[in-house]
Amino acid sequence: MIPDSIIVALQNEMQQAGYITRSAVERIAKQFHVSPTQVYSVASFYQQFTFTPQGKNVIAICTGTACFIAGAEKILAMLKKELGIGEGEVTADGKFSIQKNTRCLGKCSSAPVVMVNDQIYENVTVARMKEIIDELR
Ligand code: FES
């Protein structure tokens, strides 16, 4: 069983570095006397942990069924074009990244739903998404 403290250590790493590095995995493994593989498998299980650098503003567009039907793909397409990056990538200025494969955010009745950092936006349109990124620029 993996102790909760490994999850806390991974969360601290995310807060400090913005992503989980290979050296962080090794350091945490050593700290909790488990193998790096065990730490890696915990980190890869939870969507909150990422192994690649993130932008200052992380945009997650829900691609769950309700949001997909409500037009999330159009929002995602506009965002990719507007920012010039794909999912899992960071803009050259480091200001934005688009999270990959965002699952249901638990607000299906307000689809499409977008999360920017810790803030949830409901009933988002392509125009509203454009306004949100303009406000963050
Ligand atoms: S499917 Fe998007 S919030 Fe549930």
Side-chain angles (χ1 to χ4, degrees):
M1 185 167 151
I2 297 292
D4 290 345
S5 45
I6 290 180
I7 294 173
V8 172
L10 289 165
Q11 288 170 333
N12 289 339
E13 189 65 26
M14 283 296 297
Q15 274 189 330
Q16 290 169 9
Y19 69 109
I20 306 297
T21 62
R22 185 180 185 159
S23 64
V25 167
E26 289 168 3
R27 180 173 21 84
I28 292 168
K30 199 177 250 183
Q31 183 183 353
F32 292 98
H33 308 289
V34 296
S35 71
T37 305
Q38 287 174 293
V39 175
Y40 180 79
S41 57
V42 171
S44 51
F45 179 78
Y46 294 99
Q47 199 175 4
Q48 65 181 296
F49 302 122
T50 178
F51 299 98
T52 53
Q54 301 288 292
K56 184 178 170 210
N57 299 292
V58 179
I59 303 171
I61 298 177
C62 176
T63 53
T65 305
C67 291
F68 180 83
I69 291 168
E73 288 295 312
K74 286 182 190 163
I75 297 168
L76 183 58
M78 180 283 293
L79 197 58
K80 287 177 176 176
K81 189 175 175 190
E82 184 73 22
L83 298 178
I85 58 172
E87 292 174 81
E89 295 179 352
V90 183
T91 54
D93 62 6
K95 279 192 179 172
F96 296 98
S97 59
I98 304 173
Q99 190 171 306
K100 260 188 192 174
N101 303 324
T102 302
R103 297 178 207 135
C104 180
L105 294 169
K107 298 270 186 181
C108 308
S109 61
S110 303
V113 178
V114 173
M115 187 163 75
V116 181
N117 304 319
D118 291 331
Q119 184 166 356
I120 296 269
Y121 295 87
E122 301 174 30
N123 302 304
V124 177
T125 61
V126 169
R128 178 65 184 124
M129 188 72 243
K130 175 85 170 71
E131 285 173 8
I132 293 166
I133 56 175
D134 285 346
E135 288 162 12
L136 293 169
R137 280 192 160 130

